[in-house]
Amino acid sequence: MHSRPNSENWFFYEPRLEMTLVGRFFVRLCTYVTYAGLSVTSVIFLLNDLRSLKAVGALLVLFLLDRLRVANRADRSLDQATEGKINLAHYLSPKSYATIEWALDRAIFSKSDFELYLLKKLSDRVEIREGLARVDIKPKEFSGVIESEIAAYSGGAPNRKEISTRLMSLVKIAASAALDAGGSQIDPKDLLLALVLFGDSETGKIFKKFDLSADSLFNSLITSQFRSTFARLSKMPSSLVGLLAQPRRARRRVMNRAWTARPTPLLDQFSRDITDLARSEAVGFLIGHQKEYDRLVDVLSRPGRPNVLLVGESGSGKSTLAAHLAFEIVHDRVPAPLFDRRLVELEIGGLVSGVNEDELEVRVNRLINEITAAGNVILYIPDIHNLFRTSGQGRISAADVLLPAIKSDAFSVVGATSPREFKQYVEPNSDFGTSFESVRVEEISEQDAVKLLSFESVLLERQFRAVISFSALREAVGLAKKYFHQKLLPGSAEDLLRESLADVVGKKKKILTAADVVAVAEKKVNVPIHKAGKEEAAKLLNLEQEIHQRFIDQEEAVGSVARALREYRSGLSRKGGPIAAFLFVGPTGVGKTELSKILAKIQFGSSEAMARLDMSEYQDKSSIHRLLGMPDGSATGNLTAAV
């Protein structure tokens, strides 16, 4: 399996940077003269009547065209780096080298700080200026502050040895940033990220002044990088994988490279080959879930019981994990036991359609024999609990027929199910459950969701023809996590982002801001989310008086309600909990229900927004399920449905 190189073995040595200014100028001059000479020679040879000289001229043209083709590429690719000592100078893109060289020359000539000049040169690049704008930093203002810091610098002439030491540390951080972004070389944006992460230099003061974090810059630069890359294309890639790799034409391949596999016609009839989709770059993009993926690979690679059951809610990423496994398989980045395998998704609906119980058993057995004979198939079964639903109570199901093959380790199986179905179907069937290693797939973190949407925004911007600010991405993820629980991240955040884009496009706006996302979210939940303005602030400060216009006395209760609402709107309430929780105690007729209605009217715009439960209806044990829902989750209760 391809693993990330050990950074302890990285070093940076570039002989040209050890030269004097005159020496580097002479090297550049010689390079330009050489290529100019080769170009002139190739033209002269091509125009000559001698065939031998024409052939030499053609070879020279091909050489020059090849050099032009790789002019913007590093000497070597990071994704091909192996273990052992690695000189990162070979992985610098020409643009990055030119930027470092320029900054070094200016620092030595001006007796100023090398990293300030490096930041100055980087901030002049178009993609970096666009990235700064996405995090609400004005590029001109940013450049102006850099100029001021250079003018005010009083640290004395730079020490060449100290510059070399710090440059080595800087390039190491940049290489890590490039690998994190899936890059194949160290680009200028990676150098900027390294400067932000470095932190303890003169440039650190500038980043603190603009409150610029590595995470926000990383995500905004990703968007800017890919947006500029695909700006000239008439058709954008159809998937996120297509952003990172050039899509290739899909081709059916059931035979492994050792030619030991067997065709699977019956399996092909009731399945789809995920490795074929991954080979065409249609699926396989993964952010987050690294622990779950590593566990998935470890279990599938072991000699005994190589079966995995992915357990997670809908939208948690179970199918994405399977697709990423297929992607890694086709790129030969898996352990030896998984090398050259096919990951095939079984379609249970098609398998059981139109057959009775006996015919189903025959079909499943044929399927098992075919997969076993092929020897290179990993079977992926989404919603594996549906295998238990293929027969009536007390009769043989598809799961029963498949179980002996699973237990015999004849082939590997990856199943997917939800926690509720796992508890309802898999746990009671202990033989089936113990044949698998369960891997819990949780919702991805907010940080990973922002990173994923940064990639997704490249496609969304082209689709909606509007620019998405980084603050809008971050706001969409935060609000989705807090208010929209029908879906998990990143699905809930992407839905909110799409609705917000549609809203701003309808208003003829070109930029989606955080305020636009907040406005759409408020419409959906009917809860004030935006920061309180002057008018609302004044209303909150006089909330007791407003309540007392419709409600007499009860000063203590009214004061408590008003304080709770002020805390919520000022952002001081407890994170992750309700706006507030009150227990109104008193005899009938003192105003408990009336105060609740007034509270609903003020907060949500209507007293009808209040959900009222008469607890006299829930006084026996059997009624608890009507209130809270069934323990297995098959039905919701009146309270859980309301909140």
Side-chain angles (χ1 to χ4, degrees), residues 36 38 45 60 68 77 82-83 115 231 257 307 317 415 447 486 605:
L38 288 173
F45 283 7
L60 286 175
L68 185 63
S77 178
T82 57
E83 292 299 329
E115 287 155 38
R257 279 170 277 190
N307 308 305
Q447 182 178 352
Q486 297 89 346

Side-chain angles (χ1 to χ4, degrees), residues 415-426:
T417 187
S418 66
R420 187 172 73 178
E421 273 73 24
F422 177 81
K423 185 179 180 67
Q424 184 176 355
Y425 293 102
V426 179

Side-chain angles (χ1 to χ4, degrees), residues 38-110:
L38 288 173
S39 300
V40 173
T41 302
S42 64
V43 172
I44 293 173
F45 283 7
L46 286 172
L47 296 176
N48 199 284
D49 293 333
L50 293 175
R51 288 186 177 182
S52 58
L53 290 181
K54 279 182 177 290
V56 173
L59 288 174
L60 286 175
V61 169
L62 290 174
F63 169 76
L64 291 171
L65 289 174
D66 180 68
R67 296 308 303 166
L68 185 63
R69 181 178 63 87
V70 299
N72 291 323
R73 298 184 192 175
D75 296 337
R76 299 177 187 175
S77 178
L78 281 171
D79 53 15
Q80 300 297 323
T82 57
E83 292 299 329
K85 294 293 183 180
I86 295 176
N87 184 4
L88 294 177
H90 297 309
Y91 303 92
L92 273 180
S93 70
K95 292 177 181 178
S96 293
Y97 170 76
T99 302
I100 291 173
E101 185 184 45
W102 183 90
L104 183 62
D105 290 346
R106 292 301 185 279
I108 292 173
F109 182 79
S110 305

Side-chain angles (χ1 to χ4, degrees), residues 165-187:
T165 302
R166 292 182 68 83
L167 182 57
M168 182 182 294
S169 300
L170 194 70
V171 174
K172 282 184 177 182
I173 298 172
S176 292
L179 286 170
D180 289 341
S184 60
Q185 60 185 10
I186 303 171
D187 287 317

